[in-house]
């Protein structure tokens, strides 16, 4: 998309000297030029820009009137001063449905940055299909602090953060229903390419006490966007190395009923992933069952991660390593395998932390 900015010029000095010395053909050319210079049309793309808001949040470059008509707030300039950097925040009371109709919208709890202290209420956000050829929406949990139960089950007393769309639904485990401390984590979901709604986010506050806080950035991706995750990936990481965690690892409790994938973009010249436990000790960087003395790769009917290696396809228990390792060890995937699946049971043990793993891509031999 692009914006138009009409620049009206003051034309007082248009009786140009030298006119009389021009012959007919030159004069005609000059008039045409003069006619077009009565106003200039400035077009600029509606690119991402940096607002002057605390934290220099990303906004969309629009004209001041477009920003106002879309209920955004102008925060700084862009396009050499012809545009304003327009920030979109949705932050109203819960109970009804609020609508997201702009890319890069920040969804915040009522009263943010203060916590929302009203329990037993659902905050629903409907994502409008803002463009043709839409494929995915990415939710970045800049802050997401909700209430999790110590059994790892979201809902009832605890909260639940759920997504439904015509093509993926938390009630079918994709993406999973989550709760607890999720700040810094993200979630992709598929929107499908038709239907008026692209999906719905529900933050269901349970009956448990306490304040909830959220600040979630929603980014829309068309099917041709290179930043789009491969279909079926709930989390997507780019770059040669980094870390990833199970949802609510910061809250120290593996969530129940998880069934999703962490995916990694295969960087040019790299063929495998090396994975290891984070050196951070608290909460424990790998505990999918009671603390164990050896790594396990026979994991049927247990909480586990799926990692394709030459010798195994799953890892479970209390240590991340190759089968039988008695201390944490580095695990290397088979060539071309750039994903880690997660599966947890409907009932999980209280106090098991989930995982906090580091990855590093390995150059092709
Ligand atoms: C018009 O201007 C051109 C270029 O300056 C010149 O070659 C031509 O002779 C002129 N014609 C008349 C009719 O003056
Ligand atoms: C909507 O998408 C589905 C699945 O891709 C397809 O089967 C259906 O025909 C589409 N409907 C319209 C009206 O395009
Ligand atoms: C939304 O913004 C992101 C940048 O944050 C951009 O990559 C993407 O193309 C935009 N989506 C649409 C539908 O314009």
């Amino acid at each position: 998309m692009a914006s138009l900015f009409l620049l009206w010029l003051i034309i007082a000095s248009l009786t140009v000297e030298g006119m009389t010395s021009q012959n007919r053909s030159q004069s005609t050319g000059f008039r045409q030029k003069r006619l077009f210079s009565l106003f200039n049309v400035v077009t600029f793309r509606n690119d991402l820009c940096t607002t002057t808001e605390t934290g220099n949040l990303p906004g969309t470059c629009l004209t001041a009137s477009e920003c106002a008509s879309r209920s955004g707030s102008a925060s700084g300039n862009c396009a050499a001063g012809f545009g304003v950097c327009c920030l979109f925040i949705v932050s109203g009371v819960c109970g009804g449905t609020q609508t997201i109709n702009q890319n890069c919208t920040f969804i915040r709890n009522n009263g943010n940055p203060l916590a929302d202290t009203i329990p037993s209420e659902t905050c629903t956000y409907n994502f409008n299909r803002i463009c043709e050829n839409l494929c995915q929406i990415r939710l970045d949990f800049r802050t997401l602090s909700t209430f999790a139960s110590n059994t790892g089950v979201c809902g009832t007393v605890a909260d639940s953060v759920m997504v439904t769309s015509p093509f993926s639904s938390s009630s079918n485990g994709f993406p999973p229903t989550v709760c607890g401390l999720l700040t810094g984590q993200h979630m992709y979901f598929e929107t499908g390419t038709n239907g008026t709604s692209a999906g719905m986010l529900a933050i269901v506050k349970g009956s448990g006490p306490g304040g909830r806080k959220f600040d979630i950035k929603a980014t829309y991706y068309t099917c041709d966007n290179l930043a789009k995750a491969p279909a079926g990936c709930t989390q997507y990481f780019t770059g040669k190395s980094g870390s990833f965690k199970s949802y609510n690892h910061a809250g120290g409790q593996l969530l129940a009923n998880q069934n999703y994938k962490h995916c990694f973009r295969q960087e040019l010249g790299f063929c495998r992933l090396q994975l290891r436990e984070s050196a951070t000790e608290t909460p424990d960087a790998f505990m999918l069952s009671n603390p164990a003395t050896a790594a396990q790769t026979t994991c049927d009917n247990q909480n586990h991660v799926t990692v394709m290696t030459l010798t195994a396809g799953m890892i479970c228990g209390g240590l991340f390593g190759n089968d039988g390792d008695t201390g944490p060890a580095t695990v290397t995937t088979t060539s071309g395998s750039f994903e880690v699946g997660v599966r947890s049971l409907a009932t999980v043990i209280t106090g098991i932390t989930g995982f906090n793993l580091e990855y590093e891509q390995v150059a092709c031999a």
Side-chain angles (χ1 to χ4, degrees):
M1 280 188 284
S3 295
L4 286 184
F5 191 99
L6 292 186
L7 185 65
W8 293 93
L9 296 180
I10 298 180
I11 48 170
S13 61
L14 272 179
T15 353
V16 179
E17 319 100 42
M19 187 76 188
T20 48
S21 69
Q22 309 296 315
N23 70 18
R24 196 163 183 275
S25 61
Q26 282 174 322
S27 164
T28 311
F30 187 75
R31 277 174 202 281
Q32 281 171 352
K33 276 183 206 149
R34 195 178 58 174
L35 192 66
F36 282 114
S37 69
L38 285 180
F39 56 87
N40 284 353
V41 179
V42 178
T43 61
F44 57 85
R45 284 159 44 96
N46 298 138
D47 284 335
L48 202 66
C49 51
T50 304
T51 65
T52 51
E53 183 77 8
T54 313
N56 293 118
L57 302 179
T60 306
C61 191
L62 298 173
T63 65
S65 60
E66 283 172 328
C67 180
S69 72
R70 297 188 197 181
S71 311
S73 59
S75 177
N77 293 323
C78 53
F82 290 115
V84 296
C85 194
C86 193
L87 180 63
F88 295 101
I89 297 175
V90 168
S91 173
V93 292
C94 300
T97 298
Q98 300 182 68
T99 302
I100 312 301
N101 54 20
Q102 299 298 328
N103 194 14
C104 297
T105 295
F106 293 86
I107 300 170
R108 293 181 175 169
N109 65 279
N110 187 33
N112 183 282
L114 298 178
D116 174 351
T117 52
I118 303 174
S120 303
E121 195 184 46
T122 299
C123 320
T124 309
Y125 305 91
N126 181 35
F127 296 96
N128 275 358
R129 189 172 298 279
I130 59 166
C131 60
E132 296 286 302
N133 201 28
L134 189 67
C135 260
Q136 287 176 345
I137 292 175
R138 173 177 166 132
L139 302 175
D140 276 289
F141 304 151
R142 293 166 44 83
T143 302
L144 184 49
S145 167
T146 60
F147 186 67
S149 80
N150 61 7
T151 61
V153 176
C154 302
T156 322
V157 178
D159 299 341
S160 24
V161 177
M162 304 174 75
V163 164
T164 40
S165 87
F167 294 82
S168 45
S169 159
S170 300
S171 52
N172 295 329
F174 173 62
T177 297
V178 294
C179 57
L181 293 182
L182 305 160
T183 298
Q185 300 194 282
H186 71 269
M187 177 179 275
Y188 280 83
F189 66 92
E190 305 289 325
T191 61
T193 51
N194 63 32
T196 46
S197 171
M200 202 92 102
L201 167 69
I203 298 180
V204 185
K205 294 184 280 177
S207 57
R212 282 83 174 171
K213 260 193 206 181
F214 49 91
D215 179 8
I216 300 173
K217 180 183 164 214
T219 311
Y220 284 78
Y221 290 112
T222 50
C223 302
D224 54 3
N225 193 313
L226 294 176
K228 184 176 85 73
C233 297
T234 295
Q235 292 193 1
Y236 187 46
F237 299 88
T238 59
K240 283 187 281 186
S241 61
S243 68
F244 61 104
K245 298 170 182 170
S246 50
Y247 286 112
N248 189 43
H249 183 263
Q253 176 63 51
L254 177 71
L255 300 178
N257 287 311
Q258 304 287 293
N259 184 9
Y260 69 91
K261 283 193 288 193
H262 297 266
C263 302
F264 307 84
R265 183 177 70 191
Q266 182 172 6
E267 302 297 350
L268 194 64
F270 292 83
C271 278
R272 298 166 201 273
L273 278 182
Q274 269 186 350
L275 301 157
R276 71 180 77 85
E277 285 187 22
S278 162
T280 313
E281 285 174 9
T282 319
D284 191 301
F286 192 86
M287 203 201 295
L288 296 186
S289 64
N290 284 320
T293 48
Q296 280 171 256
T297 58
T298 306
C299 305
D300 300 312
N301 302 317
Q302 293 188 52
N303 307 316
H304 63 262
V305 291
T306 51
V307 179
M308 289 312 297
T309 70
L310 286 177
T311 53
M314 298 184 225
I315 302 175
C316 55
L319 278 178
F320 188 83
N322 303 289
D323 201 22
D325 283 342
T326 51
T330 299
V331 169
T332 306
T333 64
T334 54
S335 184
S337 176
F338 281 84
E339 56 183 54
V340 174
V342 180
R343 187 93 202 226
S344 71
L345 308 178
T347 309
V348 298
I349 302 166
T350 293
I352 54 172
T353 57
F355 58 83
N356 177 6
L357 299 176
E358 288 173 357
Y359 71 91
E360 192 167 345
Q361 302 204 1
V362 183
C364 302

